[in-house]
Amino acid sequence: QVQLVESGGGLAQPGGSLRLSCAASGFIFSWYAMAWYRQAPGKQRELVARITTGGATNYADSVKGRFTISRDNSKNTVFLQMNSLKPEDTALYYCKAERFSSGYWGQGTQVTVSS
């Protein structure tokens, strides 16, 4: 069955870094664009970053220059390197596999940025 398992979340200080990973299984990973979304308490889920099957990337304005999405098709894994973290980056971060109108979601990993 399809599985997306996020890891790497936790507590970071403002200005710090975290690296999220999402390990995928149960589908042909290289056929899917991969994305990271986040949802903060009381707010809607929002797109953070996306990487296409060809490696093209796009980012939310709020994370441009601080976050980097990448993928390793040999390991069926997508990453989100988060630098210069801010308290407003605190959220539950979800991994999503996207292909045309279909998609699969992970369960999420919590990121908390606080001093």
Side-chain angles (χ1 to χ4, degrees):
Q1 72 277 21
V2 172
Q3 280 194 311
L4 292 170
V5 180
E6 301 98 334
S7 61
L11 176 64
Q13 291 192 339
S17 298
L18 286 173
R19 188 189 194 211
L20 305 184
S21 300
C22 172
S25 60
F27 62 98
I28 302 175
F29 182 78
S30 61
W31 286 11
Y32 284 71
M34 297 300 298
W36 288 96
Y37 289 75
R38 68 186 180 187
Q39 187 167 19
K43 295 188 176 182
Q44 288 189 331
R45 192 173 297 188
E46 63 174 355
L47 175 68
V48 175
R50 178 183 284 115
I51 185 166
T52 69
T53 56
T57 58
N58 65 283
Y59 298 91
D61 287 344
S62 58
V63 307
K64 280 181 182 176
R66 300 189 298 122
F67 290 11
T68 302
I69 189 171
S70 61
R71 64 190 297 162
D72 185 339
N73 287 347
S74 69
K75 296 181 179 179
N76 289 358
T77 303
V78 61
F79 304 97
L80 185 68
Q81 178 66 44
M82 306 187 295
N83 299 329
S84 302
L85 284 163
K86 303 176 180 180
E88 51 263 42
D89 295 319
T90 295
L92 190 58
Y93 283 71
Y94 296 91
C95 171
K96 185 183 180 188
E98 301 176 336
R99 177 174 168 82
F100 301 121
S101 61
S102 68
Y104 307 115
W105 289 95
Q107 293 300 305
T109 185
Q110 178 67 38
V111 171
T112 302
V113 184
S114 174
S115 55

